């Protein structure tokens, strides 16, 4: 695909890195020559210096025959105008805009061909907030991914000593839980992927990805580790977009405190929030944390826009007795450095955001993509179309499919029914197929599998 990315900041460069590795024709537009030079040094892509919403700049970027424009500059207005220009002058088929301001997102009538021709408005802050919410709602998880409108989830957990299934073969999962539908989709041991088979044994410290209906997640987790009690007391460090959204979503059901160092913003947040206690101060201030009973806090979540401040405050909170600490970290090198050390969960905004973009780039009818393992793996929801003559998957058992190495089908969603996948499971037309791919570089093989032949059309 020929794709133009407007904005070479953290989101834009992350999107470029993901898409360029899949043999797409990528052009990045930005006004900062240094950012563009850095991108060109690292990746095989074109760059154009200029304002992303200006028609002459878009012409230089190749907008006349582009398949997609992804506008992710720091300005909502620039992103929206760029999509309008791309639609009006170049008839660009797919237009995606990053929109951060909630006042825009609250008005869905703004987005559509009759108003602003934006096919998809993405809000990284909203996506990150949802990502953190799912972690808080499911204590003990490392990742929680929704598929089929939340009817099925893929969950990552670390196996602990004493879990009933730890040290056992995977085939015993059904014996342990005869009434629970679940399947292990992937296992990572010391950062190496292991293909889950019936005789595979789960070991202590394995990172296990399983698929199950939301109602069964706690039961499956209980087989792999001691269940964490529900969280009640939370401290959020940072009163920016993410921190405020998070507090607003959590305050009806949890006891929430929010720490913000900017006094003016503190006052504004205190007016917006109803039950959250807003504190003016530094989240890395040991005395403040002790005054606010950090040792009795279930979750400390650092979500300022400063990676170093998030890491330091989260490490301090952990040392002072917080049960679970999370830190928002933009730099990928920092994520690798701190994950599973003093910080329990390192949250990468790029990882949380990229999936919502990738699903529009994938060929075949892919409706959901979650980027995993720092972009090396993917969890995909694809819809099977066609009939046995035109499709490589419809009318076939899972054991008959020519899946690429490292690909595992975890479940099917058929209408309102969730079917846990087995070798004998037959795929029908319009089934939603939940698939885990250990090596994202083999995505094209999966795309070809789900594309419908000409005979069906």
């Amino acid at each position: 695909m020929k794709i133009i990315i407007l904005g070479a900041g953290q989101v834009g460069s992350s999107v470029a890195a993901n898409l360029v590795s899949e043999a797409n024709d990528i052009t990045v537009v930005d006004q900062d020559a240094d950012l563009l030079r850095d991108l060109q040094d690292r990746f095989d892509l074109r760059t154009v210096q200029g304002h992303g919403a200006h028609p002459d700049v878009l012409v230089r970027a190749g907008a006349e025959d582009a398949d997609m424009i992804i506008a992710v500059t720091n300005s909502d207005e620039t992103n929206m105008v760029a999509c309008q220009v791309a639609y009006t002058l170049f008839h660009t088929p797919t237009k995606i805009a990053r929109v951060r301001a909630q006042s825009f997102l609250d008005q869905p009538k703004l987005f559509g061909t009759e108003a602003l021709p934006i096919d998809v408005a993405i809000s990284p802050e909203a996506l990150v907030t949802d990502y953190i919410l799912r972690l808080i709602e499911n204590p003990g998880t490392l990742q929680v991914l929704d598929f089929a409108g939340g009817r099925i989830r893929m969950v990552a957990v670390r196996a602990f000593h004493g879990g009933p299934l730890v040290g056992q073969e995977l085939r015993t999962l059904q014996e342990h839980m005869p009434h629970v539908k679940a399947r292990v989709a992937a296992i990572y041991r010391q950062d190496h992927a292991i293909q889950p088979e019936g005789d595979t044994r789960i070991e202590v410290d394995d990172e296990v990805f399983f698929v199950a209906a939301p109602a069964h997640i706690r039961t499956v987790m209980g087989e792999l580790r001691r269940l964490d009690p529900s969280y009640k007391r939370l401290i959020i460090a940072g009163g920016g977009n993410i921190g405020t959204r998070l507090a607003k979503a959590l305050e009806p059901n949890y006891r929430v405190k929010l720490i913000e160092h900017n006094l003016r913003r503190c006052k504004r947040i205190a007016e917006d929030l109803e039950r959250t206690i807003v504190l003016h101060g530094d989240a890395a201030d040991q005395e403040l944390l002790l005054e606010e009973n950090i040792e009795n806090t279930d979750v400390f979540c650092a979500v300022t826009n400063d990676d170093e401040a998030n890491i330091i405050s989260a490490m301090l909170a952990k040392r002072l007795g917080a049960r679970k600490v999370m830190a928002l970290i933009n730099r990928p090198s920092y994520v690798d450095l701190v994950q599973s050390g003093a910080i329990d969960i390192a949250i990468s905004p790029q990882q949380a955001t990229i999936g919502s973009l990738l699903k529009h780039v994938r060929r075949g009818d892919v409706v959901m993509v979650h980027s995993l393992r720092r972009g090396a793996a993917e969890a995909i929801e694809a819809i099977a179309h066609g009939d046995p003559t035109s499709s490589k998957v419809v009318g076939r058992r899972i054991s008959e499919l020519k899946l690429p190495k490292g690909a595992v089908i975890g479940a099917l969603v058929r209408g309102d029914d969730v079917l846990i996948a087995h070798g004998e499971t037959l795929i029908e037309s319009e089934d939603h197929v939940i698939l885990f791919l250990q090596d994202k570089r083999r995505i094209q093989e999966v795309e070809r599998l789900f594309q419908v032949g000409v005979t069906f059309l």
Side-chain angles (χ1 to χ4, degrees), residues 239-308:
N241 274 337
I242 294 172
T244 309
R245 281 172 185 267
L246 204 51
K248 190 168 277 189
L250 292 168
E251 64 180 3
N253 302 311
Y254 300 86
R255 296 180 201 169
V256 183
K257 295 176 181 177
L258 186 149
I259 303 172
E260 168 58 45
H261 69 87
N262 183 300
L263 182 58
R264 188 180 299 170
R265 191 184 291 165
C266 259
K267 291 177 179 176
R268 193 176 69 243
I269 294 167
E271 290 171 3
D272 290 343
L273 299 174
E274 293 178 10
R275 300 176 63 183
T276 300
I277 297 171
V278 180
L279 304 163
H280 175 236
D282 181 356
D285 180 344
Q286 181 168 322
E287 286 186 18
L288 175 63
L289 293 179
L290 289 171
E291 277 175 22
E292 298 305 326
N293 299 314
I294 188 68
E295 70 278 7
N296 296 321
T297 299
D298 295 316
V299 180
F300 179 91
C301 190
V303 291
T304 74
N305 57 7
D306 184 323
D307 284 0
E308 289 83 358

Side-chain angles (χ1 to χ4, degrees), residues 86-403:
Y87 172 78
T88 305
L89 298 183
F90 310 114
H91 309 293
T92 307
T94 306
K95 301 157 293 296
I96 299 173
R98 174 193 190 179
V99 182
R100 302 172 72 186
Q102 192 62 42
S103 56
F104 286 135
L105 296 169
D106 288 340
Q107 303 295 332
K109 289 180 183 176
L110 283 175
F111 309 111
T113 48
E114 294 176 7
L116 290 164
I118 296 169
D119 300 299
V120 187
I122 64 157
S123 165
E125 290 83 2
L127 291 167
V128 170
T129 302
D130 290 344
Y131 185 91
I132 297 171
L133 280 174
R134 288 197 296 271
L135 291 172
I136 290 172
E137 288 164 359
N138 296 273
T141 54
L142 298 173
Q143 274 186 303
V144 182
L145 313 171
D146 273 349
F147 293 99
R151 279 174 288 175
I152 193 159
R153 284 179 164 176
M154 183 176 287
V155 177
V157 294
R158 195 168 301 285
F160 280 9
H161 181 74
L165 198 61
V166 177
Q168 305 291 320
E169 293 184 346
L170 284 182
R171 61 167 60 96
T172 63
L173 182 67
Q174 198 60 37
E175 298 168 20
H176 283 246
M177 303 178 297
H179 304 298
V180 172
K181 295 177 181 177
R183 172 161 185 178
V184 173
I187 298 171
Y188 284 86
R189 184 171 297 155
Q190 296 172 352
D191 270 347
H192 294 291
I194 294 170
Q195 186 84 2
E197 307 287 352
D199 58 356
T200 305
R201 291 181 185 272
I202 293 176
E203 295 183 5
V204 172
D205 275 342
D206 281 358
E207 192 174 325
V208 181
F209 287 82
F210 67 86
V211 287
H216 296 152
I217 286 172
R218 294 276 291 172
T219 308
V220 181
M221 284 178 63
E223 293 294 312
L224 298 166
R225 53 176 292 137
R226 179 178 51 80
L227 283 175
D228 288 15
S230 297
Y231 301 140
K232 292 176 184 172
R233 299 176 184 85
L234 315 173
I235 292 181
I236 298 167
N241 274 337
I242 294 172
T244 309
R245 281 172 185 267
L246 204 51
K248 190 168 277 189
L250 292 168
E251 64 180 3
N253 302 311
Y254 300 86
R255 296 180 201 169
V256 183
K257 295 176 181 177
L258 186 149
I259 303 172
E260 168 58 45
H261 69 87
N262 183 300
L263 182 58
R264 188 180 299 170
R265 191 184 291 165
C266 259
K267 291 177 179 176
R268 193 176 69 243
I269 294 167
E271 290 171 3
D272 290 343
L273 299 174
E274 293 178 10
R275 300 176 63 183
T276 300
I277 297 171
V278 180
L279 304 163
H280 175 236
D282 181 356
D285 180 344
Q286 181 168 322
E287 286 186 18
L288 175 63
L289 293 179
L290 289 171
E291 277 175 22
E292 298 305 326
N293 299 314
I294 188 68
E295 70 278 7
N296 296 321
T297 299
D298 295 316
V299 180
F300 179 91
C301 190
V303 291
T304 74
N305 57 7
D306 184 323
D307 284 0
E308 289 83 358
N310 291 341
I311 292 168
I312 294 297
S313 62
M315 289 174 74
L316 178 62
K318 188 72 174 179
R319 189 169 67 81
L320 295 176
R323 205 169 109 204
K324 186 81 68 178
V325 300
M326 306 178 189
L328 188 72
I329 302 174
N330 284 287
R331 290 194 187 184
S333 55
Y334 283 9
V335 174
D336 294 343
L337 202 63
V338 303
Q339 180 86 29
S340 73
I343 293 173
D344 297 298
I345 300 177
I347 299 153
S348 164
Q350 291 91 338
Q351 289 285 103
T353 304
I354 192 70
S356 63
L357 294 170
L358 289 176
K359 69 183 179 185
H360 301 287
V361 180
R362 296 280 173 260
R363 292 169 179 83
D365 194 354
V366 174
V367 293
M368 184 59 72
V369 176
H370 290 289
S371 184
L372 308 168
R373 306 291 303 175
R374 296 172 289 287
E378 280 187 5
I380 302 159
E381 177 185 345
I383 302 177
H385 293 299
D387 53 41
T389 58
S390 63
S391 168
K392 297 187 181 81
V393 295
V394 173
R396 289 168 174 78
R397 290 182 174 84
I398 288 174
S399 58
E400 298 169 349
L401 301 181
K402 294 179 180 176
L403 291 168

